[in-house]
Amino acid sequence: MVGNLLLRGMLAGLIAGVLVFAFAHTFGEPFVNQAIAFEEVTAQAAGEASEPEIVSRATQAGLGLFTGVIAYSVAVGGLFAIVFAFVQGRFSNLGARGTSAVIAVAAFIAVVVVPSIKYPANPPAVGNPDTIGVRTELFFLMIVVSIAALVAAIALARRLTPWLGAWNAAIAAGLAYVVFIGLVQYLLPPINEVPENFSAMVLWHFRTTSIGMHVILWGVLGLVFGALAERKVGVAAKLRGRAPAFH
């Protein structure tokens, strides 16, 4: 069963990846080009020699972008299916589609929204190359902390449910998650390497496009995988009168 769901998750990831690529190529690449043009103009003004282009922009924006997005989306789809197989039937009586949607929303918040509040995406021409390692480490640290805090919040809600009821327990756990994440983001060092003369509009559109790509990814995963998984487990769930559990 888990292996079957894994294939469905990868298929959903493939579908999501194609849509994400189309969106990124259409709406994201123009702002990447503007950011690169800004970098080139800045380098020329400073008297710096232009670096040789190892991979052409056409390849980067076409085959390179497609390969990266598809590989990432398929991998995420597989992980999504594994999480679904563990969660379905253990934490709620939601059907396959409901569980898939909840996982997608929770993942989008924990993996995309929370880290992006502290460390939003920047165009490739923005930032100091010498600090890319630190920036990457802090970004992934924020993702790990956010996911761990979300899991802890879910566990807290389950513990509080017998005393507060499901609704109040969920609110209390949600508030605890927000407070903890706020404290972590306050303690982590900020990174602001955007040049003062960089276009605010380009930066804004690039970041919103980046968020849009994730909206498509997690939205399609939640909807498509839910539909595919329902076809596999829906009949058994109706016969039992509850969502099936996986062991």
Side-chain angles (χ1 to χ4, degrees):
M1 178 67 76
V2 175
N4 201 294
L5 289 174
L6 180 61
L7 291 176
R8 283 168 164 75
M10 296 174 68
L11 176 58
L14 177 62
I15 296 172
V18 172
L19 295 177
V20 171
F21 166 75
F23 178 83
H25 185 75
T26 303
F27 299 101
E29 284 301 318
F31 300 111
V32 174
N33 291 333
Q34 292 182 46
I36 292 175
F38 169 83
E39 184 182 38
E40 292 175 349
V41 170
T42 303
Q44 291 176 0
E48 300 176 358
S50 59
E51 298 181 359
E53 190 177 58
I54 300 176
V55 181
S56 67
R57 272 297 299 148
T59 301
Q60 293 176 22
L63 180 60
L65 178 63
F66 179 81
T67 302
V69 168
I70 293 298
Y72 176 80
S73 300
V74 170
V76 171
L79 292 174
F80 188 93
I82 293 174
V83 173
F84 174 88
F86 176 77
V87 170
Q88 176 70 8
R90 286 189 170 93
F91 298 97
S92 72
N93 292 323
L94 289 175
R97 292 197 180 199
T99 300
S100 180
V102 169
I103 294 174
V105 172
F108 176 73
I109 293 173
V111 178
V112 181
V113 175
V114 170
S116 296
I117 292 175
K118 181 66 177 181
Y119 302 115
N122 286 329
V126 173
N128 184 353
D130 296 333
T131 64
I132 188 172
V134 175
R135 285 183 280 135
T136 302
E137 291 174 0
L138 288 173
F139 181 77
F140 280 102
L141 174 62
M142 191 69 252
I143 293 178
V144 171
V145 171
S146 179
I147 293 175
L150 179 62
V151 173
I154 294 173
L156 177 62
R158 288 173 60 83
R159 283 182 172 272
L160 294 177
T161 297
W163 291 276
L164 302 179
W167 182 250
N168 291 331
I171 293 176
L175 289 175
Y177 174 80
V178 171
V179 171
F180 176 76
I181 289 299
L183 178 62
V184 171
Q185 294 198 349
Y186 174 78
L187 294 176
L188 286 177
I191 296 179
N192 183 16
E193 296 182 330
V194 180
E196 294 183 358
N197 58 338
F198 188 81
S199 171
M201 289 300 297
V202 173
L203 183 63
W204 167 256
H205 286 301
F206 179 86
R207 288 176 173 175
T208 54
T209 301
S210 177
I211 294 294
M213 292 168 59
H214 287 285
V215 170
I216 294 173
L217 173 62
W218 293 106
V220 172
L221 276 178
L223 296 175
V224 174
F225 177 80
L228 294 175
E230 186 178 53
R231 296 182 62 182
K232 182 65 180 177
V233 302
V235 174
K238 291 178 181 178
L239 292 175
R240 299 175 189 175
R242 60 178 179 84
F246 296 89
H247 302 283

